[in-house]
Amino acid sequence: MNRIAVIREKVEAGQRLSFEDGLYLEEEADLFTLGELANIVRERKNGNRAYYNVNVHINPTNVCVFRCTFCAFRADLKSPKGYVMSDEQILERAAEADRRGATELHIVGGLHHQLPYEWYLNVVRLIHREFPRLHLKAYTAVEWDWFSRMTGRPTRDILAEFKDAGLGSLPGGGAEIFHPEVRDLICEHKADADSWLRIHREAHSLGLRSNATMLYGHIEKPWHRIDHLCRLRALQDETGGFQTFIPLAFHPDNTRLSHLPKPSGVTDLRVMAISRLMLDNFPHIKAYWVMLGIKTAQVALSFGADDIDGTVVHERIYHDAGSTAPQELTVAELRRLIEEAGRVPIERDTLYREVVRDNGRWQTGRPLATV
Ligand code: V47
């Protein structure tokens, strides 16, 4: 039997693919075979459903001590582009999210040279006090590592303190590519792979769920991507705390890697499918439409993805790096994209519970209680 037939048998039997299988898929498999195999796993895990949510992004500051080569969002302390949102601006954004019926606020930003630990804690505390129903998916492992460096306190204690203040879960950013051969070249100073993984392990042990990402299409080789996926899979075996994996396509505009081409649509779909196949213990794979563009995100629903993220609004990280996707999609647009792809749209909250809406009110699960 040839190699792809062996891999097909494994996928059909629900058996785990090895590192070598992953590398073979990267280097030898054609796009349609990848899509077909990934779709088997996608439909086994999530049927014909495709999830979206109603969310709003907030990036409280873009000032950052680090200079990751792929980032167009960050600003130096004294740069005219740098900003720090006031408490009033932060609360107004949360109020906007609430008015829009959002169930989630996605909060990430820079590691400011001068803002103290308490400022970051206050962002969560402030919003949670005023809008306790909004799920706060806040701060990447890189930020948690920074808080620990600033205070000298263990990340686990910090996570516990934020949880008490209203933290709901962790987004998946900051993972980039774990292997030091790549990581040391694109983001030398920030949290390394072991720290990223340790922080997610600690979050899971505190009962917090989290997401994971991989930034691809820059200087990494296919085997770095497979290594990255295998490391995530190993941690998920241990904790089961990851909800969704989001492959992030590199956008080169306005970055120090602007000489590199953008990954092609074919690469986007191949990485999506291989991620679905390798991460056999992740319940969800997200096609983040802001990063992929709407058209590729729609097609990705047949290449392993079962989620397209949400309404988003106010996204900056990708738009600063040249994303031509709109700033926002309405719920009607999200549902139409999903239906046109032959899937059944389901609104979820951050923890993948179905959201039921009635007359502008929302509730997770049934029956719908009055709010
Ligand atoms: O960690 C930064 C990436 C990430 C660029 O958890 C870039 O639900 C491409 O993690 N080109 C932040 N990528 C975004 C992120 C995320 C997004 C949506 C949903 C979730 C979730 C998480 O964005 C960074 C980095 O890997 N990034 N600059 C760029 N020029």
Side-chain angles (χ1 to χ4, degrees):
M1 224 185 320
N2 66 23
R3 186 79 191 245
I4 199 72
V6 174
I7 292 177
R8 179 183 292 274
E9 272 200 0
K10 282 191 182 179
V11 171
E12 283 171 352
Q15 285 169 8
R16 175 156 288 189
L17 300 184
S18 64
F19 176 90
E20 290 72 26
D21 292 333
L23 203 54
Y24 181 83
L25 291 175
E26 278 277 5
E27 288 171 351
E28 303 292 339
D30 68 85
L31 178 65
F32 287 115
T33 303
L34 286 176
E36 190 195 348
L37 295 181
N39 199 49
I40 293 172
V41 182
R42 184 243 189 264
E43 292 191 354
R44 186 186 296 140
K45 286 187 184 285
N46 290 291
N48 209 23
R49 297 182 294 280
Y51 299 96
Y52 67 93
N53 75 343
V54 178
N55 63 352
V56 168
H57 281 218
I58 176 168
N59 307 122
T61 178
N62 64 348
V63 174
C64 192
V65 293
F66 291 144
R67 292 168 168 260
C68 302
T69 56
F70 54 80
C71 185
F73 167 71
R74 73 163 299 280
D76 285 331
L77 183 60
K78 293 188 178 155
S79 156
K81 184 188 155 207
Y83 70 85
V84 176
M85 288 172 81
S86 65
D87 285 3
E88 291 69 33
Q89 288 170 320
I90 289 166
L91 277 178
E92 172 43 37
R93 181 66 59 79
E96 179 193 342
D98 190 56
R99 280 196 301 275
R100 287 171 175 270
T103 58
E104 170 190 287
L105 206 53
H106 175 125
I107 308 172
V108 292
L111 314 173
H112 194 285
H113 308 56
Q114 293 170 342
L115 289 172
Y117 170 76
E118 287 71 26
W119 185 85
Y120 291 89
L121 180 60
N122 183 53
V123 171
V124 167
R125 190 167 274 150
L126 202 64
I127 301 173
H128 183 67
R129 254 195 223 137
E130 293 291 321
F131 302 99
R133 295 197 74 214
L134 270 179
H135 179 104
L136 305 183
K137 184 178 75 178
Y139 302 133
T140 68
V142 172
E143 288 159 299
W144 299 111
D145 177 67
W146 178 246
F147 302 158
S148 168
R149 292 190 201 189
M150 263 201 288
T151 58
R153 290 171 53 194
T155 39
R156 197 174 190 285
D157 289 2
I158 292 174
L159 285 163
E161 183 172 16
F162 272 76
K163 189 179 177 207
D164 286 346
L167 174 72
S169 65
L170 270 57
E176 325 312 359
I177 288 284
F178 287 143
H179 200 283
E181 243 178 58
V182 175
R183 199 170 186 85
D184 291 353
L185 293 177
I186 61 172
C187 51
E188 183 186 355
H189 297 292
K190 75 183 187 187
D192 63 8
D194 287 344
S195 304
W196 193 99
L197 292 163
R198 187 199 73 243
I199 289 164
H200 282 257
R201 182 183 293 110
E202 289 167 353
H204 299 168
S205 77
L206 289 166
L208 294 161
R209 310 304 296 273
S210 73
N211 294 337
T213 59
M214 173 174 76
L215 178 67
Y216 67 89
H218 43 92
I219 61 166
E220 89 286 3
K221 301 271 183 295
W223 76 267
H224 295 124
R225 298 200 284 257
I226 301 299
D227 172 73
H228 189 95
L229 297 173
C230 288
R231 291 191 200 208
L232 287 173
R233 187 169 74 178
L235 180 55
Q236 179 74 333
D237 275 345
E238 213 182 297
T239 67
F242 286 117
Q243 305 200 103
T244 186
F245 174 73
I246 312 135
L248 296 169
F250 174 54
H251 280 249
D253 292 0
N254 308 316
T255 73
R256 284 157 60 205
L257 297 176
S258 60
H259 55 284
L260 296 177
K262 249 169 125 162
S264 68
V266 169
T267 301
D268 289 339
L269 293 176
R270 291 182 64 87
V271 172
M272 190 68 64
I274 292 170
S275 303
R276 179 61 289 172
L277 289 165
M278 294 304 292
L279 294 177
D280 54 12
N281 51 6
F282 272 60
H284 303 287
I285 304 285
K286 190 188 282 188
Y288 181 41
W289 61 264
V290 176
M291 166 275 278
L292 287 173
I294 294 168
K295 292 180 179 180
T296 308
Q298 193 182 31
V299 179
L301 294 175
S302 301
F303 282 77
D306 60 276
D307 190 309
I308 58 170
D309 204 79
T311 44
V312 179
V313 196
H314 303 297
E315 199 286 329
R316 291 205 50 162
I317 296 172
Y318 279 86
H319 288 89
D320 283 358
S323 168
T324 53
Q327 269 294 341
E328 157 184 17
L329 285 181
T330 63
V331 166
E333 286 167 327
L334 287 168
R335 294 184 70 91
R336 185 183 57 78
L337 283 171
I338 291 172
E339 279 167 358
E340 226 182 63
R343 303 295 188 186
V344 179
I346 307 280
E347 183 184 344
R348 59 157 179 91
D349 69 357
T350 313
L351 303 174
Y352 285 84
R353 294 172 301 203
E354 186 169 354
V355 174
V356 183
R357 292 193 183 257
D358 180 29
N359 265 333
R361 292 168 306 171
W362 62 267
Q363 188 59 274
T364 46
R366 291 169 199 274
L368 178 66
T370 48
V371 181

